[in-house]
Amino acid sequence: MEVTYKTKGTCATVIHFTKNDDGTITNISFEGGCNGNLKAVSKLCDGMKAEDIAAKLSGNTCGFKSTSCADQLAKAVLEN
């Protein structure tokens, strides 16, 4: 299933990914945000189960913000 998730409180505005029938997440991409860092997050999380992504990335913050692009990815994969 192709998912488009609108983020809240981050420089990246949208996250795209595929949630496969086996629960793995692939084809992760971000619109906006820190290009190099988000490419790395996407590569590192590619093929992981949604629960594992959430366990690693939930609660990660960015500067003074209460969330981050990684935290928003964790929310996105659990909600969809």
Side-chain angles (χ1 to χ4, degrees):
M1 167 176 68
E2 298 296 321
V3 176
T4 298
Y5 180 84
K6 180 148 177 46
T7 62
K8 297 169 188 73
T10 60
C11 298
T13 56
V14 177
I15 305 171
H16 303 280
F17 60 90
T18 303
K19 189 163 193 177
N20 302 298
D21 291 338
D22 64 357
T24 59
I25 305 298
T26 56
N27 304 315
I28 304 165
S29 66
F30 292 79
E31 290 183 24
C34 302
N35 188 35
N37 290 334
L38 295 176
K39 282 181 184 174
V41 168
S42 299
K43 285 181 180 182
L44 290 169
C45 292
D46 190 64
M48 291 177 67
K49 298 262 186 199
E51 296 79 15
D52 294 334
I53 292 172
K56 294 257 185 215
L57 302 180
S58 289
N60 188 50
T61 60
C62 182
F64 62 88
K65 299 175 184 174
S66 62
T67 189
S68 68
C69 296
D71 183 58
Q72 289 293 296
L73 176 60
K75 289 176 177 16
V77 298
L78 288 181
E79 289 179 15
N80 293 281

